[in-house]
Amino acid sequence: MQKKIIRITTVPMSLGGLLTGQLKYMSNHYEVVGISSYENGKLDLIGQQEGIRVLPVNMTRTITPFKDLKAIWQLYRIFKKEKPYIVHTHTPKAGTVGMIAAFLAGVPHRLHTIAGLPLLEARGSKRKILDLVEKLTYSCATMIYPNSFGMKDIILENKYTTQNKLKVIGQGSSNGIDTKQFDPKVVSDTAKKELRTSLGINEEDFVYVFVGRMVTDKGVNELVRTFAKLTKQIKNIKLVLVGPHEKSLDPLLDETENLIATNPDIIEVGHQKDVRPFFAMADVLSFPSYREGFPNVVMQAGAMGIPSIVSNINGCNEIIQDGVNGYIVPSKDEESLYKSMLRIYNNKQEGIVFNPTEIRDLIKERYQRTTIWKAILEEYNSL
């Protein structure tokens, strides 16, 4: 009889997106059950996709004490009934309610992966509350897995837990990247040309692309302002913004929204199911995020053979080697971002470009998805 693992995320998109393929792989070795919010049947679709049993427990992404207590109680009852050998949580809220419930239910192995710390941008009393919640989550866990070495250092600096509870699996990342899916060969030259044409981008235009949530924490305000400054100097450049807004959680500044709406060289395309064509037709990913765990989009861009300009934050500065597969700039530093965006443009005009094959090989060597899966399986087996 296989031992049972319960994997939990706050929303189904994380269960099926951040962990794509991993749950199906693990089900060859363990009985895997997925738990997340129901979200109008999205959870059931993830269960079908991964070939696992799923159970709905509604969780919120904000501070909601009564709803959180209800989620803890529901999870506790599930754990007492299912008797899992391992409960493994991802995302902040699922981590908190999942680890507390697993501790109360006496689950022997309580694992939590840290893929980012939103609380790092909080201030005042809110930060103090979030710090306490984070410490409570870690105290209920038996092991904590930061998905980058920089994240591990941040956790220790903030004294959320002790060194012996922390481990980075492999070279970082929660799920690695499928380099067969993210491969420049999957997008033809014709498809790239057609996409550019449909967006009003000329053949000679230099394209900066941003892929991610259109929120303040991703550095979108700085990116848009910097690009607007560049357009006053350079005419043949475009900025393509790929991703959804989250106006209720982390809205952009009004001035940023206005620049996006009025600058003809800024092209917003919203959420896209397939981001590969946008990487393929771009020259560089510009990703000046404030905080990350281990950013998938930077790995994806690298696997597609394009360089990235990223903030000097954990995760980003582990994937990007400055001057080798992109540039690293200080977080929230618009002048440095401006200089790097201008530099990569000027270099191309002079015929100095990053080698796409070398960029891709760096990702393949370190973050191939199956390598990450095997490392996580080894960790499970060692418990």
Side-chain angles (χ1 to χ4, degrees):
M1 187 176 176
Q2 288 182 318
K3 291 178 179 176
K4 186 181 295 181
I5 295 178
I6 295 181
R7 302 288 293 267
I8 312 175
T9 63
T10 307
V11 296
M13 185 174 71
S14 299
L15 196 66
L18 293 178
L19 302 176
T20 301
Q22 189 180 136
L23 306 182
K24 182 178 285 186
Y25 173 84
M26 294 301 168
S27 65
N28 294 320
H29 307 274
Y30 290 87
E31 180 186 349
V32 179
V33 178
I35 294 179
S36 193
S37 300
Y38 184 65
E39 287 197 359
N40 296 321
K42 290 180 183 177
L43 179 60
D44 292 333
L45 293 176
I46 300 304
Q48 293 167 22
Q49 168 191 305
E50 296 292 326
I52 62 167
R53 183 160 57 96
V54 292
L55 299 170
V57 172
N58 286 323
M59 291 168 269
T60 65
R61 293 169 64 188
T62 54
I63 300 171
T64 51
F66 292 110
K67 289 180 180 178
D68 298 342
L69 286 171
K70 182 179 178 182
I72 290 169
W73 172 242
Q74 288 177 306
L75 288 168
Y76 171 82
R77 291 179 66 188
I78 289 170
F79 297 157
K80 293 302 282 186
K81 180 182 177 183
E82 297 284 341
K83 296 180 171 55
Y85 177 67
I86 296 169
V87 166
H88 189 170
T89 57
H90 298 256
T91 65
K93 182 57 72 70
T96 299
V97 297
M99 288 297 95
I100 292 172
F103 173 79
L104 294 173
V107 176
H109 299 290
R110 306 178 297 277
L111 319 179
H112 180 49
T113 291
I114 309 294
L117 287 169
L119 61 83
L120 295 177
E121 292 300 317
R123 297 291 180 268
S125 58
K126 182 180 180 182
R127 174 62 185 266
K128 289 178 181 178
I129 292 168
L130 292 173
D131 278 342
L132 284 171
V133 171
E134 202 72 11
K135 289 177 181 178
L136 175 61
T137 302
Y138 295 10
S139 68
C140 289
T142 54
M143 279 297 292
I144 301 292
Y145 300 105
N147 71 348
S148 74
F149 292 96
M151 182 63 67
K152 179 182 177 182
D153 292 339
I154 291 169
I155 290 168
L156 288 172
E157 286 166 14
N158 284 274
K159 299 180 180 178
Y160 292 140
T161 191
T162 53
Q163 175 82 39
N164 65 324
K165 266 196 179 184
L166 294 169
K167 183 177 181 179
V168 178
I169 294 176
Q171 296 293 322
S173 174
S174 302
N175 201 36
I177 183 167
D178 184 348
T179 55
K180 290 181 180 177
Q181 180 186 10
F182 284 89
D183 184 331
K185 295 174 184 174
V186 302
V187 184
S188 68
D189 289 339
T190 302
K192 283 188 274 188
K193 188 174 181 180
E194 287 176 353
L195 179 57
R196 276 182 165 244
T197 301
S198 72
L199 296 174
I201 299 172
N202 297 322
E203 192 174 334
E204 68 274 11
D205 286 338
F206 186 94
V207 178
Y208 303 88
V209 67
F210 168 87
V211 179
R213 292 177 296 113
M214 294 282 291
V215 295
T216 290
D217 273 8
K218 295 291 183 184
V220 177
N221 293 312
E222 290 84 353
L223 174 60
V224 169
R225 281 196 298 265
T226 300
F227 180 79
K229 182 179 174 182
L230 280 170
T231 58
K232 293 175 182 177
Q233 280 184 262
I234 310 167
K235 297 305 175 189
N236 63 321
I237 58 173
K238 294 285 189 288
L239 171 62
V240 179
L241 301 170
V242 184
H245 287 256
E246 289 191 353
K247 293 184 179 180
S248 61
L249 286 174
D250 188 15
L252 298 175
L253 297 172
D254 289 342
E255 66 182 78
T256 303
E257 297 281 14
N258 185 55
L259 279 170
I260 293 170
T262 58
N263 190 315
D265 295 316
I266 299 177
I267 302 161
E268 186 178 14
V269 299
H271 172 72
Q272 297 289 321
K273 286 186 177 180
D274 189 357
V275 295
R276 294 174 299 176
F278 295 91
F279 287 125
M281 65 90 180
D283 293 281
V284 60
L285 171 71
S286 291
F287 193 70
S289 182
Y290 297 175
R291 58 170 185 82
E292 291 294 325
F294 209 88
N296 284 328
V297 293
V298 181
M299 289 192 291
Q300 290 167 357
M304 293 297 291
I306 70 166
S308 297
I309 298 171
V310 301
S311 304
N312 189 16
I313 57 172
N314 62 279
C316 289
N317 57 16
E318 294 170 44
I319 300 167
I320 298 301
Q321 298 174 25
D322 194 59
V324 176
N325 57 346
Y327 297 126
I328 300 173
V329 300
S331 177
K332 305 181 186 179
D333 186 333
E334 288 183 42
E335 184 60 28
S336 295
L337 179 62
Y338 169 80
K339 287 177 180 176
S340 287
M341 290 176 73
L342 181 61
R343 178 184 180 186
I344 203 164
Y345 169 83
N346 286 337
N347 282 352
K348 187 174 183 183
Q349 308 316 301
E350 296 171 12
I352 305 167
V353 294
F354 289 99
N355 185 317
T357 303
E358 289 180 6
I359 291 173
R360 177 169 164 78
D361 286 347
L362 274 171
I363 299 298
K364 287 175 70 177
E365 289 164 12
R366 295 168 65 86
Y367 308 117
Q368 179 64 258
R369 180 160 285 175
T370 51
T371 303
I372 303 293
W373 292 350
K374 289 174 184 175
I376 295 171
L377 179 61
E378 286 175 12
E379 184 67 12
Y380 287 162
N381 292 341
S382 72
L383 296 173

